[in-house]
Each structure stands twice: as C-alpha cells, then as structure tokens.
Amino acid sequence: DAEITQSPRHKITETGRQVTLACHQTWNHNNMFWYRQDLGHGLRLIHYSYGVQDTNKGEVSDGYSVSRSNTEDLPLTLESAASSQTSVYFCASSEFSNQPQHFGDGTRLSIL
Amino acid sequence: QKEVEQNSGPLSVPEGAIASLNCTYSDRVSQSFFWYRQYSGKSPELIMSIYSNGDKEDGRFTAQLNKASQYVSLLIRDSQPSDSATYLCAVNIRGNTPLVFGKGTRLSVIA
C-alpha cells in the first residue's frame, strides 16, 4: 500500500542547531506539503512543492527551507532552530490541488 | 474574514445523538471540500470529500454542501464515544493553490 512516512517521530534539540525532518511518500504524488500544528493555531502551511525542483512559501515559512530533488521526498530544514519552532510537524501529499491530502504520522520537535 | 471558519467547540453530544459540524468559506469559486478527523496526538485522517451541491453519505457520516450559502456541514449519526476527536474542514479555495484548513471543531460524545 502507498504511504507517507516521516522521520524522526520525536526529536529534541538545542537552539541554534540545524535540524532536518524527513518526509517520504510512495503515492507518486507531485504535490507535497509541510505544516506545523500548535494549540490555538490549527494547521499552518510552512512550504509546499508541486513537483521536482519546485518549492513555494506558505504562511509561516520564515526560518524554514525545503528542497525537492525527486518525487518521493521533501525534507524540511530548520536552519537555526528557535524555541518558537517547538511544534508538531506534519507532511502531506496529494495528486492534484483539488484532491485530498494524505498525512504522515507527524514529528514532535522540541527545541530547548 | 478568514477563508475557512469553524466553531472551535467543544461540541458535546450524548451517545446515539446526531452531531452536526459546520464550516463556512469565503470564496464562491471554491470547488473541493474535505472533512478530516484528528484524534489527540494523531495525524488528520480524511473521512469525507464532497465536490457538488447536496448531500453525500458514507456510513454514519453525511457531508452537506451549499455553495450558494458558502457552507459545508458534516453530520455524524448515532454518535459514539469513539467519534470524540477534532474535525477539520478543508477547502480548495481557488485554482492551483493548497487546501485551506479551518482550525477545527472539537467533538465530545458523552456515554
């Protein structure tokens, strides 16, 4: 069965460190998305990609970057982790923009 | 006006009752609408998709879309304690843009 996997599931790191969260999907979807979810804010879009070499900023992109070198993977990098980036991060994919997104299980990131 | 709005709840209903969850959206050209269920500590899970006006039924779930009034609803019949979760509404607002998610409504089904 096709799936979308995120790793690690949990991570604790220190402020100022670079952190990369992995997202891998076997749906062969062109569209991939990164969200963060915090109490009171719901899902907030960080970055998204509509295909290889394509990346776009979402509503909360400052301090984050992504790159898309193949269809399956969209890693999310925190260049210099800040405590405000402590959150749960979800990766999702979809075939087209007007189709539903399928979510990974999430990564719980704590920055101390 | 926010693009997709939901009452945050909590919405409390007794076991066996009908739970009614509502979502309004701002753009009349929106074409695709989705309901997700999210249990505490888990990822959102798609439960319903609806693309045209009217009702769509799937088991105990019914999605209702009214494009003229710009709202989409989710009805859960014979509510069970296992339905207790946060329900997210998502809308493809326009063209080739990502889905816009509401903040979710927390549903509590009381046994």
Side-chain angles (χ1 to χ4, degrees):
Chain A
D1 284 348
E3 60 181 3
I4 180 165
T5 56
Q6 294 184 234
S7 61
R9 292 296 314 278
H10 303 272
K11 185 171 182 67
I12 300 174
T13 190
E14 297 175 342
T15 56
R17 289 190 180 266
Q18 184 180 80
V19 178
T20 297
L21 308 183
C23 176
H24 179 82
Q25 54 99 2
T26 58
W27 291 92
N28 199 34
H29 285 162
N30 282 325
N31 299 347
M32 296 185 71
F33 309 87
W34 274 104
Y35 296 90
R36 60 178 291 177
Q37 189 174 41
D38 307 283
L39 277 174
H41 289 281
L43 286 168
R44 291 186 289 175
L45 184 63
I46 305 171
H47 282 288
Y48 61 100
S49 169
Y50 285 161
V52 176
Q53 302 301 327
D54 176 73
T55 61
N56 304 278
K57 294 181 179 180
E59 64 176 299
V60 290
S61 60
D62 286 350
Y64 303 94
S65 64
V66 294
S67 63
R68 187 91 180 270
S69 59
N70 58 52
T71 300
E72 297 79 19
D73 298 290
L74 187 69
L76 177 71
T77 297
L78 288 67
E79 302 293 345
S80 177
S83 57
S84 60
Q85 294 176 308
T86 292
S87 187
V88 178
Y89 290 85
F90 289 106
C91 179
S93 71
S94 69
E95 186 172 9
F96 301 111
S97 294
N98 63 350
Q99 296 296 306
Q101 294 177 10
H102 302 269
F103 283 80
D105 289 337
T107 294
R108 185 173 296 275
L109 178 64
S110 297
I111 301 167
L112 307 178
Chain B
Q1 181 189 2
K2 294 180 182 176
E3 291 186 299
V4 177
E5 294 203 58
Q6 298 181 252
N7 189 317
S8 61
L11 172 66
S12 295
V13 299
E15 183 176 358
I18 296 176
S20 178
L21 304 161
N22 298 313
C23 171
T24 59
Y25 59 95
S26 60
D27 199 320
R28 286 186 173 273
V29 302
S30 302
Q31 293 296 318
S32 308
F33 307 85
F34 309 98
W35 283 101
Y36 288 81
R37 177 178 61 201
Q38 186 175 24
Y39 292 115
S40 181
K42 301 295 186 181
S43 61
E45 171 194 12
L46 179 71
I47 53 173
M48 291 289 286
S49 303
I50 188 165
Y51 301 94
S52 54
N53 272 331
D55 295 358
K56 180 181 178 182
E57 187 175 316
D58 183 1
R60 294 186 297 111
F61 298 101
T62 299
Q64 300 176 316
L65 176 60
N66 184 323
K67 290 187 177 181
S69 300
Q70 295 176 229
Y71 78 80
V72 55
S73 301
L74 179 69
L75 302 179
I76 306 174
R77 291 182 300 281
D78 188 24
S79 295
Q80 301 297 308
S82 58
D83 294 325
S84 297
T86 297
Y87 289 80
L88 304 174
C89 172
V91 179
N92 177 229
I93 294 289
R94 65 187 70 84
N96 195 27
T97 59
L99 298 182
V100 178
F101 286 82
K103 291 187 177 181
T105 297
R106 189 156 56 92
L107 172 67
S108 178
V109 181
I110 311 300

